[in-house]
Amino acid sequence: MSKTQDFEKQDKEYIANTYGRFNVCFEKGKGSLLWDVEGKEYIDLGSGIGVTAFGVDDDEWSKAVIEQTHALNHISNLYYSVPQIKLAELLCKKTGMKKVFFCNSGAESNECSIKAARKYSHDKYGEGRNVIVTLVNSFHGRTVTTLSATGQDVFHQHFFPFTEGFIHTPANDIDAALKVLANPAVCAIMMEPIQGEGGVMPLDKEFVQAVTKYAHEHDQLVLIDEVQTGNGRTGSLYAYEQFGIEPDIVSTAKGLAGGLPMGATLFNEKTQYVLTAGAHATTFGGNPICAAAGCTIIERLTPEFLATVKAKGDYVKRVLEGKTGVVGVSGMGLMIGIETTVDPKKVIAKCLEKGVVCLSAKNKVRLLPALNIPQEQLEKAITILADVIGELASE
Ligand SMILES: Cc1ncc(COP(=O)(O)O)c(C=O)c1O
């Protein structure tokens, strides 16, 4: 029995059966290279689903994490915490937002947005104005409330009763959205700038601007879910910047701490005082190690660095568009969806065989490489990916 088969057997014996895993067990990595337990090398175009923003064992990140581990690994939110303050200051100064609440995941960052939006409205308008509009095909998380927010029926099963107060409207249909927003019970609209799990589907700028304008004119909050699109992924610090809007609340996670569990909810001038002492809390949120790690990520997302993210994304699009089996390439920066004439699962399996790690999202192959993936590794991996798609399409 190979090491992989042995670990597969143990995994099946002890791990809850919630994941369909590929038959690979990774052991270590450096930057955008990974090695499995058999010693095989891979180029990583997935970064743990958009998490290891500067790759695996990035020197600056590892140094900060190790130093913070020795200094103070946890203290709770009963006291001031220097890494937390530093990261919040960085986020606020770079975005113009005013306050940050730290948590541990994307779903939690959205829970915080949702709670704050409802409290904002309740404080100001009283009961009955608590509905949040979200988009069809969105994905906002796996807690009972963020599943309710998620605009895909496939997620509205098994776990009844779901949280009330969400209405889903089709993405990019301005008339439909404005009709829904006219409902006096609506307090907010929540959107992902690019629907990630929904198949890397960027929203139309016109749509985002129109609904934001209407919402702001009617004191409905604009909540932007940047869990996947945030922290440099699309070539700007947050993707909303490229849509020319100013959100009231931004939620993020994934790449924020470069490989440690951390989420954040950012509040603007209008919403910064909504969550008061005792209104919301978490034991681990803003943990010093995660926060120290997060500083090493956010500090490095300078305009010059973000331009390289855009350039690498443009390179991938240029190479893949028009290739045999490629129907189209969507996304922004290094958040890329590739529609192919073949089953994306087959593409991913074949790429793994050839030493390239890719992801899928709905009917697309999805790429979320580390933001600093070396150009030569990116070129090698994209050549392999293009060949695999071409071979499968010609079968
Ligand atoms: C846009 C978006 N929101 C929320 C989530 C949930 O994040 P988490 O899995 O960290 O709870 C995800 C995860 O893929 C996401 O892409």
Side-chain angles (χ1 to χ4, degrees):
M1 193 186 273
S2 71
K3 281 187 187 171
T4 309
Q5 285 167 330
D6 192 26
F7 286 127
E8 182 191 0
K9 191 166 164 273
Q10 290 180 47
D11 180 296
K12 296 231 156 37
E13 193 164 348
Y14 297 113
I15 305 282
N17 188 31
T18 60
Y19 301 104
R21 301 199 202 273
F22 289 97
N23 208 16
V24 181
C25 182
F26 289 109
E27 186 171 47
K28 60 182 183 181
K30 186 72 191 168
S32 288
L33 295 178
L34 295 170
W35 288 272
D36 69 15
V37 290
E38 315 291 345
K40 179 174 162 184
E41 184 178 288
Y42 301 77
I43 300 174
D44 182 14
L45 299 182
S47 66
I49 322 186
V51 168
T52 47
F54 280 79
V56 176
D57 187 28
D58 165 67
D59 291 343
E60 209 169 306
W61 182 91
S62 293
K63 181 170 176 282
V65 167
I66 290 163
E67 279 176 13
Q68 189 58 47
T69 303
H70 291 304
L72 183 68
N73 57 331
H74 183 78
I75 189 63
S76 91
N77 280 311
L78 296 175
Y79 313 98
Y80 304 117
S81 161
V82 176
Q84 212 183 93
I85 295 166
K86 216 178 133 198
L87 180 57
E89 183 185 2
L90 268 171
L91 288 168
C92 288
K93 291 216 162 127
K94 281 185 176 239
T95 59
M97 300 297 274
K98 297 294 176 199
K99 299 273 187 294
V100 182
F101 178 87
F102 288 114
C103 58
N104 314 286
S105 69
E108 280 179 68
S109 70
N110 284 334
E111 284 272 346
C112 180
S113 285
I114 292 163
K115 285 176 76 174
R118 288 189 170 168
K119 185 168 184 299
Y120 173 86
S121 192
H122 192 267
D123 288 350
K124 204 161 165 185
Y125 300 100
E127 282 176 24
R129 189 179 181 275
N130 51 35
V131 170
I132 297 177
V133 175
T134 67
L135 303 183
V136 172
N137 195 45
S138 59
F139 182 79
H140 297 295
R142 296 275 189 166
T143 62
V144 171
T145 294
T146 54
L147 279 177
S148 287
T150 292
Q152 300 186 53
D153 289 342
V154 62
F155 290 107
H156 302 152
Q157 293 176 29
H158 316 302
F159 310 114
F160 301 99
F162 287 95
T163 307
E164 291 173 14
F166 291 93
I167 298 179
H168 313 297
T169 190
N172 299 328
D173 185 337
I174 297 175
D175 290 344
L178 296 189
K179 236 179 240 160
V180 170
L181 287 170
N183 178 341
V186 170
C187 68
I189 178 160
M190 185 179 220
M191 303 176 272
E192 299 156 85
I194 304 174
Q195 296 185 329
E197 300 306 304
V200 193
M201 308 286 280
L203 297 184
D204 293 344
K205 193 169 177 180
E206 216 191 351
F207 172 80
V208 176
Q209 290 189 345
V211 296
T212 298
K213 182 167 179 286
Y214 182 94
H216 281 160
E217 283 168 2
H218 295 81
D219 202 18
Q220 295 162 330
L221 298 185
V222 175
L223 320 178
I224 298 295
D225 178 346
E226 295 260 6
V227 169
Q228 191 162 152
T229 51
N231 312 305
R233 174 57 51 195
T234 67
S236 53
L237 180 57
Y238 291 103
Y240 73 77
E241 296 165 30
Q242 296 181 59
F243 288 78
I245 58 152
E246 293 191 359
D248 296 298
I249 303 180
V250 176
S251 46
T252 192
K254 287 205 185 278
L256 176 60
L260 284 171
M262 177 169 240
T265 310
L266 281 60
F267 300 99
N268 72 354
E269 184 97 40
K270 180 156 137 178
T271 56
Q272 63 178 321
Y273 297 114
V274 173
L275 292 180
T276 45
H280 197 44
T282 154
T283 298
F284 289 111
N287 166 278
I289 301 174
C290 301
C295 289
T296 73
I297 304 297
I298 301 300
E299 263 165 5
R300 282 185 280 175
L301 300 178
T302 59
E304 297 73 33
F305 178 80
L306 292 167
T308 68
V309 173
K310 269 207 173 110
K312 284 175 185 168
D314 291 345
Y315 164 81
V316 174
K317 276 193 184 163
R318 247 191 347 264
V319 172
L320 291 177
E321 265 164 359
K323 283 270 183 321
T324 309
V326 175
V327 177
V329 185
S330 64
M332 287 157 55
L334 285 172
M335 177 168 180
I336 297 165
I338 307 151
E339 191 178 346
T340 61
T341 56
V342 289
D343 179 358
K345 296 267 170 354
K346 282 192 183 159
V347 176
I348 292 164
K350 192 102 186 160
C351 280
L352 269 180
E353 258 175 59
K354 293 185 181 264
V356 174
V357 179
C358 306
L359 305 165
S360 66
K362 284 257 168 99
N363 62 335
K364 290 188 186 160
V365 176
R366 175 176 44 159
L367 309 181
L368 300 170
L371 304 179
N372 65 344
I373 183 170
Q375 182 68 22
E376 63 278 11
Q377 289 174 14
L378 184 63
E379 286 179 16
K380 191 173 164 195
I382 295 300
T383 305
I384 294 171
L385 171 62
D387 288 349
V388 164
I389 295 171
E391 277 166 30
L392 288 171
S394 313
E395 268 175 9

